[in-house]
Amino acid sequence: MTDRILIVEDEREIAEILTLYVENAGFAVARATSYQEAVRQHAQFAPDLVLLDIGLPGGDGLDVLSSVRRRVDTPVIMVTAVDDEVTKLSSLRIGADDYVVKPFNPSEVVERIRAVLRRTRGGRLRRLFAAGPVEIDLDARTASCGPAENRQRLPLTPSEFGILAHLAAHPRRAFSRAELLEAISPDSDAYDRVVDSHVSNLRQKLMMAGCPDIIEPVRGIGYRLWAER
Ligand code: CA
């Protein structure tokens, strides 16, 4: 399984050099150049690690770090232009896993990425879990359902997968549309009704795979995954 690295850096040259080294080291890379893009890419690309520049347009790297930490514990390496103790301490306090000062040697950054991934592997998120007849693999971003001997892979869009994974992580808990929307696309301006259309398609796909009524509407609230088995 190829590890996915999100590089958040607004200086194009630095981003390109980092991408080159990180890709050559065998990782898959996505890039973001602003606060908004970083938060969106973090939700959509679901990286295994984020390389995060502190000076960004639209809100700084520490804001991105806080936003990521509110939801999951993806490892984060902060990158900064100034070797300043205050910034370093606040990054570590908010939950950064390591800290690199510019100008850096890109090979060393790759080594740090490897070291942080080794260190954080395992004890973090539960990457593969089942809720009733539904099985979620967060690494492969796939979901399947049905009895063990005839489990079917569900052909889901990234948003549908995000909603299903979020519901399945807390079976029987009712989530509001706003919570589900936040889970699949934080800081989005989309209407809550967008969630209804994703859920409707999701339920259709679950039904086709032989798992009807797994997701049920909760009147006045939103949805829950009903996994009583
Ligand atoms: Ca910058």
Side-chain angles (χ1 to χ4, degrees), residues 43-44 46 127 129 135-144 154-168 184 198 202 205:
Q44 286 177 0
R127 308 291 298 178
F129 59 95
E135 191 175 278
I136 307 284
D137 184 336
L138 288 176
D139 286 320
R141 312 264 309 156
T142 58
S144 53
L154 299 162
L156 304 180
T157 65
S159 295
E160 289 159 10
F161 175 82
I163 289 174
L164 182 61
H166 202 72
L167 291 170
I184 55 168
H198 290 316
L202 186 52
K205 290 175 184 178

Side-chain angles (χ1 to χ4, degrees), residues 9-11 53 55 102:
E9 171 60 73
D10 60 317
E11 282 165 77
D53 180 30
K102 291 180 191 173

Side-chain angles (χ1 to χ4, degrees), residues 25-207:
F27 297 105
V29 170
R31 268 156 59 170
T33 57
S34 67
Y35 166 79
Q36 285 82 0
E37 220 186 330
V39 172
R40 183 167 51 79
Q41 281 283 36
H42 180 262
Q44 286 177 0
F45 181 62
D48 296 284
L49 183 143
V50 183
L51 206 53
L52 181 55
D53 180 30
I54 289 192
L56 289 174
D60 72 19
L62 293 176
D63 299 327
V64 177
L65 179 61
S66 310
S67 162
V68 166
R69 279 290 167 272
R70 273 200 301 277
R71 303 183 304 123
V72 289
D73 49 6
T74 314
V76 174
I77 299 178
M78 302 298 295
V79 180
T80 175
V82 263
D83 191 3
D84 129 30
E85 267 320 288
V86 177
T87 316
K88 180 173 179 172
L89 285 177
S90 31
S91 314
L92 297 175
R93 197 176 310 120
I94 304 174
D97 295 273
D98 203 350
Y99 192 90
V100 175
V101 179
K102 291 180 191 173
F104 47 71
N105 173 345
S107 309
E108 197 204 315
V109 174
V110 169
E111 281 319 305
R112 298 274 196 107
I113 291 174
R114 289 208 174 99
V116 168
L117 283 173
R118 264 198 308 274
R119 202 171 71 218
T120 55
R121 190 112 291 169
R124 295 252 180 196
L125 268 178
R126 221 159 29 125
R127 308 291 298 178
L128 181 70
F129 59 95
V134 178
E135 191 175 278
I136 307 284
D137 184 336
L138 288 176
D139 286 320
R141 312 264 309 156
T142 58
S144 53
C145 88
E149 67 280 5
N150 186 25
R151 210 176 271 289
Q152 299 212 22
R153 169 81 61 90
L154 299 162
L156 304 180
T157 65
S159 295
E160 289 159 10
F161 175 82
I163 289 174
L164 182 61
H166 202 72
L167 291 170
H170 306 276
R172 288 188 295 278
R173 178 174 149 195
F175 286 93
S176 69
R177 292 176 176 82
E179 282 175 311
L180 293 174
L181 194 59
E182 167 75 19
I184 55 168
S185 103
D187 299 346
S188 144
D189 297 328
Y191 292 108
D192 290 358
R193 296 289 155 201
V194 167
V195 171
D196 291 336
S197 114
H198 290 316
V199 169
S200 158
N201 294 333
L202 186 52
R203 295 179 80 189
Q204 183 77 18
K205 290 175 184 178
L206 282 161
M207 195 181 71

